[in-house]
Structures are given as structure tokens and as C-alpha cells.
Amino acid sequence: MTGLAQQASAWSVLPAVAIVLSAAVVAGSLDAVLDPRRGPVSLRRRVLRPVYEASRLLLAQRRSTTAPDRLLWGIGVLTPLLVAVMMAPVVPLGSAVVSDLGVGLVWFNAMDVLLWAGWWLAGWGPNSVYSLVGGYRFLAQALAYELPLMFALTAPAVAASSLSVPQIVAAQQGRWFIVQMPLAAVVFAGSVAAFSAWGPFAHPAGADIAGGLLVEQSGPARLLLRWGQYALLVVGSVMTVALFLGGGAGPLLPAWLWTLLKSAAVLAVLLAMRHRMPVWRPDRLMRLAWLVVLPLVLAQLLVVSVLAAAGGGS
């Protein structure tokens, strides 16, 4: 029986991957709809923009540089999309989850750490100055967001007394964790944008360094990186719903539909950040994260721990 269950779980990975990749395309369409800079462009063209862009990039001739490290370059380009796919199995869609790991929260954070290497390799591999500067900028940005992210993840785990994501969802019956820990929810959502190099956290791909991480990416490589960014935003939005917004909890509608609706709302906010917020320099972001955000998240974690201990004692 155990072997059959494991086989069924393995087969269920395939539709999960298909859902993540399809949702990333939908995120691209939603991003185009929310973009206020497009002018009088029809809604149909905005929705189909990912299709047009994908067709153009697939047919575009790929640029090259002098003496690139093609292996590391390729690994860096593939990493964001692969990380999103590997995060997805522990993220529940309604009451369904591909892999209910007892330490699903730890798995999610470990996959996030892989992005450090992926984004840096995407900057290192081309053997280009601006691209390399973009890679180092991401490392500086990662040093800023990672500790607040880890403690923001710890808060729902402490409140639920579990590292299993489905159990964290189940612990929110009656009151969502965003009511108890709003700062942790905001920090986690912001960290999703940060590890996706998105919106105010897009300085590694800044215009002042000719596009940084993206400057040497062309053709299918650029398509994969952008697809990876959208996939990370999608998976991070669903995880935000699972950890802080009650997962599939809601009246009348089925749990999976509530999860999709809540995730779409979170995703829309993350996508809108790109068009409505300035880009933050990593040094200023680090100062804010370490001197302001981290102490506040730790204080909130202390409050959550005291409440959890009091509840357990009673």
C-alpha cells in the first residue's frame, strides 16, 4: 500500500507542475493588464502579450559574449523556474497537496535559498560586467530579506505547533493568522517579491546597469528567466494564502476555489508593485531590513510564542 501511495503521489507531481507553468502564463497576462504604461492598448492584446512575447523570444537569435561559462549560465537561467516547481508540491491547493511533508515549511525555505545560487550564476555565467554586478546585487538583497523571511515563516509554525503546511492551514479554523501576525504576512509577501527580483526589489536588473541580470539574456534564456519570475510569484502567492489567509477557508465555494481567489488577489498586489513602487537599492534595503523590520518581526514572533504557550497551557 505504501508503494502504491508513493506512486500516486509521484504521478500527481505532473499535474502540479502543469498548473504552476500555466499559472505563470496567466500571471504574465495579469501583469500586462495591470501595467498603466501601455497606453491605449486593447484588453485582448494585453491578455495575449505573454504569447506574443514568447513567440518573439523563441524565434530571436540568442546573443553571446566572450568566453562565457555556458554550463553555469544555463543552470542560472533554469534555476528560478525549477525552484518554483520544487516549491509547489508542499503548497496546498484547497485541501489537496502533492506532498504533505512534516517539514514542508523548511523545504520551502530551503528552495528559496537555492535562488541565491541561481540568480548569481545567471549573472556570473555570461562573463559580462553589468550582468555580474546584477548577480552581486541580488546577493546583497538576499542578505537583507532572508532573516526577516525566516522569522516570518517561523511565526505561523509556532502558532500551529507544526512545520507541516496543511496543518498550519488547519490551525487557522475560525481565525486567520494574518489577524494575529499581520507584520509577518507583509514581510513574507514582500520576501516573495524579493526572491523573485520583482518590483521594488528589481535592482539586480536595474536600468542603471543596462538591465543587470537580464542584460545578456536573450531569446529562450530571457523567456525562461521571466517565466521563472512569474512562477515564483504564483507559488509565493499561494503559500501566503496557506500560511496567513486560511488556505481554502470560506463560505459556500469549494476550498480549491477559495484558494485560487485569494491567491489571485495576493498575486495582483505583487504584480502591481512593479508598476507603482520605486526600486530600492540593496544597501538601503539592508539598513531597513536589519534595523527596523527584523526587530519588529522578532517582537511579533515573541508575542505569537507567548500566546501559543498560554493557549497550550490552558
Side-chain angles (χ1 to χ4, degrees):
M1 288 294 292
T2 303
L4 290 175
Q6 290 176 346
Q7 185 178 11
S9 178
W11 277 108
S12 63
V13 171
L14 298 179
V17 171
I19 290 173
V20 171
L21 298 182
S22 302
V25 176
V26 175
S29 298
L30 182 58
D31 182 35
V33 171
L34 295 173
D35 189 349
R37 302 169 300 175
R38 290 284 165 176
V41 180
S42 66
L43 180 62
R44 176 175 173 272
R45 289 187 63 86
R46 290 189 181 216
V47 171
L48 293 178
R49 192 184 76 178
V51 179
Y52 301 147
E53 286 292 312
S55 302
R56 181 182 66 83
L57 291 173
L58 286 173
L59 296 175
Q61 183 177 1
R62 185 172 180 179
R63 298 193 304 270
S64 186
T65 55
T66 303
D69 191 323
R70 297 191 182 277
L71 175 60
L72 297 184
W73 191 355
I75 292 174
V77 166
L78 286 171
T79 296
L81 187 57
L82 289 177
V83 165
V85 168
M86 289 190 292
M87 285 176 168
V90 301
V91 182
L93 182 62
S95 58
V97 63
V98 174
S99 180
D100 183 8
L101 295 177
V103 290
L105 211 60
V106 178
W107 174 265
F108 186 91
N109 193 49
M111 293 303 100
D112 154 50
V113 174
L114 281 181
L115 288 169
W116 290 42
W119 284 117
W120 186 79
L121 289 176
W124 169 273
N127 192 30
S128 168
V129 173
Y130 288 143
S131 180
L132 183 60
V133 170
Y136 278 114
R137 279 186 178 181
F138 182 84
L139 292 183
Q141 177 170 288
L143 289 172
Y145 78 76
E146 189 60 38
L147 275 179
L149 168 61
M150 290 175 62
F151 288 112
L153 282 172
T154 304
V158 169
S161 300
S162 175
L163 293 171
S164 169
V165 183
Q167 291 186 27
I168 292 175
V169 174
Q172 298 178 67
Q173 300 300 320
R175 184 175 63 180
W176 298 351
F177 281 164
I178 193 172
V179 177
Q180 184 178 346
M181 50 193 85
L183 180 61
V186 171
V187 169
F188 179 79
S191 298
V192 170
F195 65 57
S196 305
W198 188 263
F201 309 99
H203 201 56
D208 59 321
I209 49 174
L213 287 171
L214 299 176
V215 64
E216 303 297 347
Q217 314 297 343
S218 58
R222 193 179 187 94
L223 174 62
L224 283 172
L225 271 181
R226 182 63 77 187
W227 203 1
Q229 285 182 295
Y230 286 131
L232 288 170
L233 290 170
V234 167
V235 175
S237 298
V238 183
M239 192 64 162
T240 304
V241 170
L243 296 180
F244 301 102
L245 297 177
L252 302 177
L253 301 177
W256 65 267
L257 186 54
W258 271 117
T259 300
L260 290 180
L261 291 175
K262 295 176 186 177
S263 301
V266 175
L267 179 62
V269 173
L270 292 177
L271 291 173
M273 292 169 64
R274 177 188 178 197
H275 311 296
R276 292 167 175 81
M277 294 184 67
V279 177
W280 295 341
R281 281 174 27 192
D283 58 327
R284 294 180 178 176
L285 176 63
M286 187 175 297
R287 189 178 301 113
L288 175 66
W290 284 60
L291 298 181
V292 180
V293 177
L294 184 57
L296 289 176
V297 172
L298 286 172
Q300 181 161 87
L301 179 58
L302 176 61
V303 173
V304 171
S305 301
V306 171
L307 292 176
S314 62

PDB file of all heavy atoms in Angstrom, residues 195-216:
ATOM      1  N   PHE A 195      12.727  37.527  -3.555  1.00  0.00           N
ATOM      2  CA  PHE A 195      13.448  36.405  -4.151  1.00  0.00           C
ATOM      3  C   PHE A 195      13.061  36.178  -5.599  1.00  0.00           C
ATOM      4  O   PHE A 195      13.711  35.423  -6.307  1.00  0.00           O
ATOM      5  CB  PHE A 195      13.364  35.122  -3.303  1.00  0.00           C
ATOM      6  CG  PHE A 195      12.014  34.469  -3.134  1.00  0.00           C
ATOM      7  CD1 PHE A 195      11.262  34.061  -4.223  1.00  0.00           C
ATOM      8  CD2 PHE A 195      11.533  34.190  -1.857  1.00  0.00           C
ATOM      9  CE1 PHE A 195      10.039  33.418  -4.056  1.00  0.00           C
ATOM     10  CE2 PHE A 195      10.316  33.541  -1.684  1.00  0.00           C
ATOM     11  CZ  PHE A 195       9.569  33.164  -2.789  1.00  0.00           C
ATOM     12  N   SER A 196      11.998  36.873  -6.062  1.00  0.00           N
ATOM     13  CA  SER A 196      11.653  36.854  -7.483  1.00  0.00           C
ATOM     14  C   SER A 196      12.311  37.994  -8.249  1.00  0.00           C
ATOM     15  O   SER A 196      12.113  38.103  -9.467  1.00  0.00           O
ATOM     16  CB  SER A 196      10.128  36.942  -7.657  1.00  0.00           C
ATOM     17  OG  SER A 196       9.462  35.925  -6.936  1.00  0.00           O
ATOM     18  N   ALA A 197      13.091  38.844  -7.544  1.00  0.00           N
ATOM     19  CA  ALA A 197      13.721  40.029  -8.147  1.00  0.00           C
ATOM     20  C   ALA A 197      12.677  40.859  -8.875  1.00  0.00           C
ATOM     21  O   ALA A 197      12.818  41.198 -10.047  1.00  0.00           O
ATOM     22  CB  ALA A 197      14.851  39.614  -9.095  1.00  0.00           C
ATOM     23  N   TRP A 198      11.629  41.227  -8.142  1.00  0.00           N
ATOM     24  CA  TRP A 198      10.445  41.829  -8.746  1.00  0.00           C
ATOM     25  C   TRP A 198      10.100  43.149  -8.074  1.00  0.00           C
ATOM     26  O   TRP A 198      10.319  43.347  -6.883  1.00  0.00           O
ATOM     27  CB  TRP A 198       9.260  40.867  -8.613  1.00  0.00           C
ATOM     28  CG  TRP A 198       8.040  41.305  -9.357  1.00  0.00           C
ATOM     29  CD1 TRP A 198       6.968  41.970  -8.857  1.00  0.00           C
ATOM     30  CD2 TRP A 198       7.772  41.109 -10.745  1.00  0.00           C
ATOM     31  NE1 TRP A 198       6.042  42.203  -9.848  1.00  0.00           N
ATOM     32  CE2 TRP A 198       6.507  41.683 -11.009  1.00  0.00           C
ATOM     33  CE3 TRP A 198       8.473  40.492 -11.781  1.00  0.00           C
ATOM     34  CZ2 TRP A 198       5.938  41.655 -12.287  1.00  0.00           C
ATOM     35  CZ3 TRP A 198       7.910  40.470 -13.045  1.00  0.00           C
ATOM     36  CH2 TRP A 198       6.665  41.044 -13.284  1.00  0.00           C
ATOM     37  N   GLY A 199       9.535  44.071  -8.841  1.00  0.00           N
ATOM     38  CA  GLY A 199       9.008  45.310  -8.294  1.00  0.00           C
ATOM     39  C   GLY A 199      10.068  46.151  -7.623  1.00  0.00           C
ATOM     40  O   GLY A 199      11.131  46.427  -8.203  1.00  0.00           O
ATOM     41  N   PRO A 200       9.849  46.572  -6.367  1.00  0.00           N
ATOM     42  CA  PRO A 200      10.847  47.398  -5.668  1.00  0.00           C
ATOM     43  C   PRO A 200      12.140  46.643  -5.389  1.00  0.00           C
ATOM     44  O   PRO A 200      13.121  47.256  -4.973  1.00  0.00           O
ATOM     45  CB  PRO A 200      10.128  47.788  -4.366  1.00  0.00           C
ATOM     46  CG  PRO A 200       9.074  46.753  -4.187  1.00  0.00           C
ATOM     47  CD  PRO A 200       8.647  46.345  -5.551  1.00  0.00           C
ATOM     48  N   PHE A 201      12.141  45.337  -5.604  1.00  0.00           N
ATOM     49  CA  PHE A 201      13.331  44.523  -5.373  1.00  0.00           C
ATOM     50  C   PHE A 201      13.992  44.105  -6.692  1.00  0.00           C
ATOM     51  O   PHE A 201      14.706  43.106  -6.745  1.00  0.00           O
ATOM     52  CB  PHE A 201      12.955  43.278  -4.568  1.00  0.00           C
ATOM     53  CG  PHE A 201      12.179  43.589  -3.324  1.00  0.00           C
ATOM     54  CD1 PHE A 201      10.796  43.466  -3.290  1.00  0.00           C
ATOM     55  CD2 PHE A 201      12.823  44.035  -2.176  1.00  0.00           C
ATOM     56  CE1 PHE A 201      10.083  43.761  -2.145  1.00  0.00           C
ATOM     57  CE2 PHE A 201      12.119  44.339  -1.030  1.00  0.00           C
ATOM     58  CZ  PHE A 201      10.736  44.203  -1.013  1.00  0.00           C
ATOM     59  N   ALA A 202      13.775  44.882  -7.742  1.00  0.00           N
ATOM     60  CA  ALA A 202      14.325  44.557  -9.063  1.00  0.00           C
ATOM     61  C   ALA A 202      15.639  45.267  -9.341  1.00  0.00           C
ATOM     62  O   ALA A 202      16.058  45.364 -10.502  1.00  0.00           O
ATOM     63  CB  ALA A 202      13.304  44.899 -10.154  1.00  0.00           C
ATOM     64  N   HIS A 203      16.318  45.766  -8.302  1.00  0.00           N
ATOM     65  CA  HIS A 203      17.577  46.479  -8.510  1.00  0.00           C
ATOM     66  C   HIS A 203      18.653  45.606  -9.164  1.00  0.00           C
ATOM     67  O   HIS A 203      19.487  46.128  -9.912  1.00  0.00           O
ATOM     68  CB  HIS A 203      18.096  47.036  -7.187  1.00  0.00           C
ATOM     69  CG  HIS A 203      19.063  48.167  -7.329  1.00  0.00           C
ATOM     70  ND1 HIS A 203      18.767  49.332  -8.014  1.00  0.00           N
ATOM     71  CD2 HIS A 203      20.337  48.333  -6.878  1.00  0.00           C
ATOM     72  CE1 HIS A 203      19.802  50.149  -7.972  1.00  0.00           C
ATOM     73  NE2 HIS A 203      20.770  49.562  -7.296  1.00  0.00           N
ATOM     74  N   PRO A 204      18.677  44.268  -8.926  1.00  0.00           N
ATOM     75  CA  PRO A 204      19.652  43.437  -9.653  1.00  0.00           C
ATOM     76  C   PRO A 204      19.486  43.474 -11.161  1.00  0.00           C
ATOM     77  O   PRO A 204      20.418  43.136 -11.889  1.00  0.00           O
ATOM     78  CB  PRO A 204      19.377  42.023  -9.103  1.00  0.00           C
ATOM     79  CG  PRO A 204      18.813  42.254  -7.748  1.00  0.00           C
ATOM     80  CD  PRO A 204      17.985  43.487  -7.882  1.00  0.00           C
ATOM     81  N   ALA A 205      18.316  43.887 -11.633  1.00  0.00           N
ATOM     82  CA  ALA A 205      18.092  44.036 -13.069  1.00  0.00           C
ATOM     83  C   ALA A 205      17.822  45.499 -13.395  1.00  0.00           C
ATOM     84  O   ALA A 205      17.001  45.821 -14.268  1.00  0.00           O
ATOM     85  CB  ALA A 205      16.921  43.162 -13.523  1.00  0.00           C
ATOM     86  N   GLY A 206      18.514  46.397 -12.699  1.00  0.00           N
ATOM     87  CA  GLY A 206      18.250  47.826 -12.820  1.00  0.00           C
ATOM     88  C   GLY A 206      18.696  48.436 -14.138  1.00  0.00           C
ATOM     89  O   GLY A 206      19.626  47.963 -14.792  1.00  0.00           O
ATOM     90  N   ALA A 207      18.013  49.515 -14.514  1.00  0.00           N
ATOM     91  CA  ALA A 207      18.348  50.210 -15.760  1.00  0.00           C
ATOM     92  C   ALA A 207      19.701  50.899 -15.678  1.00  0.00           C
ATOM     93  O   ALA A 207      20.347  51.149 -16.707  1.00  0.00           O
ATOM     94  CB  ALA A 207      17.266  51.241 -16.075  1.00  0.00           C
ATOM     95  N   ASP A 208      20.174  51.220 -14.448  1.00  0.00           N
ATOM     96  CA  ASP A 208      21.452  51.893 -14.312  1.00  0.00           C
ATOM     97  C   ASP A 208      22.624  50.982 -14.668  1.00  0.00           C
ATOM     98  O   ASP A 208      23.747  51.455 -14.874  1.00  0.00           O
ATOM     99  CB  ASP A 208      21.625  52.431 -12.896  1.00  0.00           C
ATOM    100  CG  ASP A 208      21.549  51.329 -11.845  1.00  0.00           C
ATOM    101  OD1 ASP A 208      20.711  50.422 -12.011  1.00  0.00           O
ATOM    102  OD2 ASP A 208      22.319  51.382 -10.872  1.00  0.00           O
ATOM    103  N   ILE A 209      22.402  49.669 -14.732  1.00  0.00           N
ATOM    104  CA  ILE A 209      23.442  48.728 -15.182  1.00  0.00           C
ATOM    105  C   ILE A 209      22.941  47.990 -16.430  1.00  0.00           C
ATOM    106  O   ILE A 209      23.216  46.799 -16.630  1.00  0.00           O
ATOM    107  CB  ILE A 209      23.841  47.733 -14.072  1.00  0.00           C
ATOM    108  CG1 ILE A 209      22.620  47.084 -13.425  1.00  0.00           C
ATOM    109  CG2 ILE A 209      24.686  48.430 -13.023  1.00  0.00           C
ATOM    110  CD1 ILE A 209      22.966  45.990 -12.431  1.00  0.00           C
ATOM    111  N   ALA A 210      22.183  48.724 -17.251  1.00  0.00           N
ATOM    112  CA  ALA A 210      21.736  48.232 -18.560  1.00  0.00           C
ATOM    113  C   ALA A 210      20.910  46.958 -18.470  1.00  0.00           C
ATOM    114  O   ALA A 210      20.851  46.179 -19.417  1.00  0.00           O
ATOM    115  CB  ALA A 210      22.936  47.991 -19.473  1.00  0.00           C
ATOM    116  N   GLY A 211      20.254  46.739 -17.337  1.00  0.00           N
ATOM    117  CA  GLY A 211      19.439  45.540 -17.181  1.00  0.00           C
ATOM    118  C   GLY A 211      20.055  44.484 -16.294  1.00  0.00           C
ATOM    119  O   GLY A 211      19.403  43.501 -15.959  1.00  0.00           O
ATOM    120  N   GLY A 212      21.314  44.658 -15.890  1.00  0.00           N
ATOM    121  CA  GLY A 212      21.933  43.763 -14.926  1.00  0.00           C
ATOM    122  C   GLY A 212      21.794  42.293 -15.272  1.00  0.00           C
ATOM    123  O   GLY A 212      22.337  41.816 -16.263  1.00  0.00           O
ATOM    124  N   LEU A 213      21.065  41.559 -14.454  1.00  0.00           N
ATOM    125  CA  LEU A 213      20.897  40.123 -14.650  1.00  0.00           C
ATOM    126  C   LEU A 213      20.295  39.770 -16.009  1.00  0.00           C
ATOM    127  O   LEU A 213      20.502  38.669 -16.517  1.00  0.00           O
ATOM    128  CB  LEU A 213      19.993  39.552 -13.549  1.00  0.00           C
ATOM    129  CG  LEU A 213      20.610  39.432 -12.159  1.00  0.00           C
ATOM    130  CD1 LEU A 213      19.536  39.065 -11.143  1.00  0.00           C
ATOM    131  CD2 LEU A 213      21.724  38.405 -12.153  1.00  0.00           C
ATOM    132  N   LEU A 214      19.556  40.702 -16.607  1.00  0.00           N
ATOM    133  CA  LEU A 214      18.870  40.413 -17.864  1.00  0.00           C
ATOM    134  C   LEU A 214      19.609  40.942 -19.087  1.00  0.00           C
ATOM    135  O   LEU A 214      19.186  40.668 -20.216  1.00  0.00           O
ATOM    136  CB  LEU A 214      17.455  41.017 -17.839  1.00  0.00           C
ATOM    137  CG  LEU A 214      16.512  40.502 -16.740  1.00  0.00           C
ATOM    138  CD1 LEU A 214      15.189  41.257 -16.790  1.00  0.00           C
ATOM    139  CD2 LEU A 214      16.282  39.010 -16.888  1.00  0.00           C
ATOM    140  N   VAL A 215      20.702  41.677 -18.870  1.00  0.00           N
ATOM    141  CA  VAL A 215      21.310  42.377 -19.999  1.00  0.00           C
ATOM    142  C   VAL A 215      21.820  41.419 -21.072  1.00  0.00           C
ATOM    143  O   VAL A 215      21.722  41.708 -22.272  1.00  0.00           O
ATOM    144  CB  VAL A 215      22.448  43.311 -19.504  1.00  0.00           C
ATOM    145  CG1 VAL A 215      23.591  42.524 -18.891  1.00  0.00           C
ATOM    146  CG2 VAL A 215      22.982  44.166 -20.655  1.00  0.00           C
ATOM    147  N   GLU A 216      22.365  40.291 -20.695  1.00  0.00           N
ATOM    148  CA  GLU A 216      22.891  39.338 -21.673  1.00  0.00           C
ATOM    149  C   GLU A 216      21.919  38.195 -21.965  1.00  0.00           C
ATOM    150  O   GLU A 216      22.249  37.295 -22.733  1.00  0.00           O
ATOM    151  CB  GLU A 216      24.224  38.751 -21.182  1.00  0.00           C
ATOM    152  CG  GLU A 216      25.297  39.780 -20.879  1.00  0.00           C
ATOM    153  CD  GLU A 216      25.727  40.592 -22.094  1.00  0.00           C
ATOM    154  OE1 GLU A 216      25.376  40.204 -23.226  1.00  0.00           O
ATOM    155  OE2 GLU A 216      26.399  41.618 -21.893  1.00  0.00           O
TER     156      GLU A 216
END
